Amino acid sequence: MKKIIRIIVITLGVILLLLITLPILFKSKIEALVKQEVNKQVEATVDWDKFSLTFFRGFPDLSVNLHGLSVTGKDVFAGDTLMYLDRFEFRVRPFSALKKDIVVKSILLNRPVINAVVLEDGTANWDIAPAPGAADRQPEGKTEAMQEADKGETDQSSKAGKADKADAEPGSAVEEEESGAAMNISLERFAIINGRVTYTDAASDLSAAIGDLNLEVRGDFGMEQTDMEMVISISGIRASSGGIGYMRNGTIEMDVTAAADMANSIYSLKKNEIRINGLVLGAEGTVKMPEDGSIIPDIRYFSQETSFKTLLSLVPAIYLQDFEALETSGSLALEGTVTGVMKDSVLPDVTLALQVRDGYFSYPDLPKDVSEVAIDLDVDYRGSDMDATTVDLEKFHLLLGGNPFDMQVRVATPFSDMQVAGMIRGVIDFSSLQDIVTMEDLNLSGRLDADMQWNTRMSSIENEEFEKVNLDGKLIVEGMVVEAPDISVPVQLEKMALYFTPRYVNLETLDLVMGSSDLHLDGRLTNFIPYVFDDQTVGGSLNVTSALLDVNELMPAEEKTGEAAGESDGSGGNTDQGDDPGGEPDMEANGTAGSEIKDMNAENPGKDKDTGNTGTGTGGEMSADTLAPSTQMKIPENIDFVLTLDMQKVIYDNIVIEHLTGNARVQEGVAFLEGLTMELLEGNVSLAGVVDPRGAFTSADVQIDISDIDIPSSYETFVAIERLAPIAQHVEGSANVDMQLTTLLDADFNPLYGTIDADGHLFARDLKVEQPASLEKLAAALKNEKLRNLELEKADIRFSIRDGRVIVEPFDMDFEDSKITAYGSHGIDQTMDYTLDMEIAKSDMGAGANEIMNSLGNLAAGAGFSVPQSDFIKVKANITGTFKDPTVTTDLRGNLTSARETVKEAVKERVTEEVEQVEEQVRDEAEQKAEELIRKAEEEKAQLVAEAQKAGNKLVAEARKQGEQLVEDAGNNPLKKIAANRAAEELIKQAEKQAASLVKEAEEKGDTIIARAKEEAGKI
């Protein structure tokens, strides 16, 4: 007996040992095979964090688990994550992998996060199937020897099994193995647990999201006949199109059993229940899936409950607020069919018939109700011939708080030449809506009166055959007031009156009051029906007037405090997730946060548009532009308005504009400015050009004419003046400027300075330049106190802006009896390189002039030079460094002339040295001037490096802050959190790179200053 027990124990131990060790022994081989096969089947990168094998999870099957599985796109979606799974499990028959014939029994997707994106050109990120024939291509990098080796192995294998394969029947497993099949499906269970999905379709302006998806499909799919059971539970559903929300926090539940004919790919519905919010549907019919890849449905669906309340569950405003307490009555009938073929671009035909009779609902705690609801709707969508589609809302009637409202709409031939007919007639008292449906935190009042009818084809309007257009009626809104927490000020629509005619819509008036701001519009709109029904372009001419428009008052509160107003994406939308405690994925997100950062760095707005160079002297300030917020304001591309503006006062940030008049045309998402004039900073500004906000950053190409603008006020008001003309801080007076400017703008309409390309002309009179650091040092060098403050009768300056530098052409300045010609450049990094050619009158210098001239004359005469008698002293001054810490050097050699026809070079050098010695004597320089020059140069280098390190640390700190904000904004969404972490890392990486570049460039510049000081010291 003991022997038997020992045998049993040993046997069980061996089995247990095998169960533990076999997965370990074959883990690497199976993992390599899985990775090879998966990546061979998709045009994407599939990877995972951990690979595990075990018999214990699904004995006797082998459980293969991929933890942290990700599918990342390629090409245009490179770096974007299509799908991420916490765990992907499939169970296979033991040892089937060794035969290269893996039999899959079940598949589990645990906590998948899917981000589906369609770009404007129709490209979808899930289209990752390889092109036909791609799998048969020879892998790159295989030599002929390797191919021969593979061929030899294949030949040996084929000889070994030739006899068996000769008798193999077509379609058998042997034939599949011979053709290279690597995996068979004998599936019994497929499940998704806690899935989250976002879908963004830029081509169709459609977005949707699923907060929680659970799916389980069971059946023995290895059998020819089986019953397939499918249970689906979906919650947190949101969907919108064109900015209109069609479902919010919706739920769908399905419990379906179908008889599956696996041999013929026919699925017949046996019993089922489909629940959408409170609407319960049933279905019957079949779905065929032939080998040509098509899907052939033949299904009839119908409502299983006839209560009107089930239809109301599809209305978010009603379903989300005390739906169970709602008192309702009335009947519902809903049915339809899905028939035809779905393949490639062909879709099946879908019909829907909805009828509501004697509908009524009210909330017990509210005084008013909705009654006499009657709806007759028929939709006939033709997938095989979409132009044969018709929509017929024959009747829509209700009493809204006692006020009748009726509507009819019929649409036919929607694609070739849409025919639309219908009518709207009724009154809506907005204040009574709050007595019908609870509106938390929303105060609404006013009245809408509509009486419209239409019947036309789109071609009649487009061809201006207005005799064939039947359009008449009015739409009037009066006394409308809207107050809500997310609206910064109360909005009062005092009156809007629209009158419809076949040719145009007459906007008689639109009077809007928003806090202390007011806005009045009137004019005409054209192409209105195609705009409403076919999303075509609406045109028109509008007069816009206002006594006060305070933009600061109208901005959301979070923007006023400098906080980020939502997340930025290629499309720029914000999504309110306040009603989703589970943290739904952002259905407005276009791609991932990582792709936003990638695109921003790819465009690199800090680079010159033509050369791609960052030209700012040191480049330190330019790098900040790459962190600028991208454009959030977009102009709808389907409007074409000519606007005549007359606005008495506009306040934006700290800018006050008065008497803004002129014309603007808004077309295809672009604003064309024509003769725009305004009063600003005690002067006048006129503006003409193009502003295009369609890209990641707004582009501007404008002609600016400024007259009599106050220079100190402009410096205090505009950051651009501080960056581009820092000398303005020390100037009093007014100036006239005309400039042709192209640049990119950030979300706050500040220029990205590295992209500025401009040519301009500045003219001013009676300017006072008071004690800039450069003149302070120049005055000290020449011992002339008058140079500390300049009073200029006029300044006539032509300049250009290229590669982050302002280049100033030579211009003359009259300084009392002296003359100065200045030219050079400065960068937005505050570095400068200017030359001053001066003829300083002796009368402006006093006794110092005589001392200089006498000393020059005595020494120059002995060396064969002469100093001619003159009332002027010529000085060439070079000003470098920065505006805050300039370096000034002077050259007096222009005062010397030769006493003979020719002078030997050695004599010239000697005289030059003596002249420099005279300069040193005149300036009372110490004998240790050389050492002092070098010491100061070294100190200047140390200061430059310290400032660069400080600026670099600031950049890195700002990048870390923005990265932390990105991660925080990602919330609990794993996909967005991964992308946000990647974006944050990239931000910090770029900032550290830029910081290192700042320090390096500061050191190089410091070395140059030291070298120059040593050179000067050698001449002393």
Side-chain angles (χ1 to χ4, degrees), residues 144-160:
E144 292 184 6
M146 294 170 65
Q147 296 174 27
E148 287 297 326
D150 292 344
K151 183 175 182 297
E153 290 182 12
T154 304
D155 290 343
Q156 292 295 326
S157 300
S158 63
K159 290 177 182 178

Side-chain angles (χ1 to χ4, degrees), residues 45 99 202 214 245 269 278 297 375 382 403 475 491 495 500 528 537 696 731 743 756 801 858 900 999:
T45 301
K99 301 178 182 179
N214 291 279
L269 296 175
I375 302 174
R382 299 290 178 173
N403 295 314
L475 180 65
V491 176
K495 185 175 182 179
F500 296 84
F528 187 78
T537 299
V731 178
T743 184
I756 295 177
I801 305 176
N858 293 333
R900 298 185 275 276
V999 174

Side-chain angles (χ1 to χ4, degrees), residues 58-62 89-94 103-108 184-192 215-231 258 260 262:
F59 186 82
D61 294 329
L62 176 64
E89 177 194 21
F90 59 96
R91 297 179 183 177
V92 300
R93 291 178 182 171
V103 179
V104 179
K105 300 296 290 295
S106 69
I107 297 176
L108 170 67
N184 287 331
I185 302 296
S186 182
L187 200 62
E188 295 178 0
R189 178 177 182 257
F190 175 82
I192 298 175
L215 165 68
E216 183 168 10
V217 180
R218 288 187 176 273
D220 190 351
F221 297 102
M223 303 290 290
E224 290 189 357
Q225 303 287 335
T226 186
D227 278 351
M228 180 183 71
E229 299 177 0
M230 180 171 63
V231 178
M262 305 302 294

